[in-house]
Amino acid sequence: MGKKAAIIHSAIEVFQEQGIEKTKISDIVKRAGIAQGTFYLYFPSKLSLMPAIAEVMVAKTIEIVKDTVDNDASYPKQFEQMVDAIYEVNREYYEILAVIYSGLASTEHIREWESVYAPFYEWVSEKLEAAKKEGAIRQSIKPDRTAKLIIGLVESTAEQVFLYAQHDENEANRQKEEVLEFLAYALHFQNVEG
């Protein structure tokens, strides 16, 4: 692992343990096993780490989603698998996600959110475009815009259960069912082989 990656991963751990406000750069570099001056070669402040931490988590989310989604399944099934994967990421990494949201919201780095999410938007957009070409969803769908809406919807509902509430599995399942029903109506899934 390179020094930049070590800083990012150490920061994730220390932020989770101590919170953003209480964490000092010295805590991060000590955990990373590097000199404090090295930190400043990569980041001007501890809050400037937030987009990098968000990139790590978005990459992790995309990896989990891609590993979960069966590209040979029907499109409704693929979207169900995507929703399940996003809920699983929120269940497993809710503490890190809370750190990211609070860190980004308290800085000017919130503007970088769209660029951090660009690869995920692109992946979902490609799924929508393929489904549209096969006649599996309504033809008026705008894949780029709809991808953002879908990701926003799914992540928001998962966060309601895992970030803001009490990890209630029954509530998580009810939320997922509602999201899937909403997507089925919004996308107007057709019966075609995926």
Side-chain angles (χ1 to χ4, degrees), residues 60-106:
K60 182 70 150 167
T61 301
I62 293 170
E63 177 186 327
I64 291 169
V65 168
K66 285 181 176 180
D67 288 347
T68 302
V69 173
D70 176 2
N71 292 319
D72 295 326
S74 67
Y75 286 107
K77 187 66 175 172
Q78 288 182 46
F79 278 88
E80 179 182 341
Q81 292 165 341
M82 181 188 72
V83 169
D84 286 341
I86 292 171
Y87 267 70
E88 188 55 39
V89 168
N90 276 269
R91 176 185 290 109
E92 188 171 339
Y93 298 103
Y94 73 94
E95 291 171 331
I96 296 170
L97 295 171
V99 165
I100 293 168
Y101 296 147
S102 63
L104 281 175
S106 65

Side-chain angles (χ1 to χ4, degrees), residues 87 157-168 171-172 175:
Y87 267 70
T157 59
E159 289 160 9
Q160 288 171 4
V161 175
F162 300 111
L163 207 57
Y164 312 131
Q166 297 293 327
H167 295 264
D168 180 345
E171 182 60 23
Q175 287 280 67

Side-chain angles (χ1 to χ4, degrees), residues 3-21:
K3 290 179 183 177
K4 183 176 182 179
I7 292 168
I8 294 165
H9 289 282
S10 296
I12 290 170
E13 292 172 5
V14 178
F15 285 155
Q16 280 186 281
E17 292 168 10
Q18 299 177 192
I20 296 170
E21 293 299 318

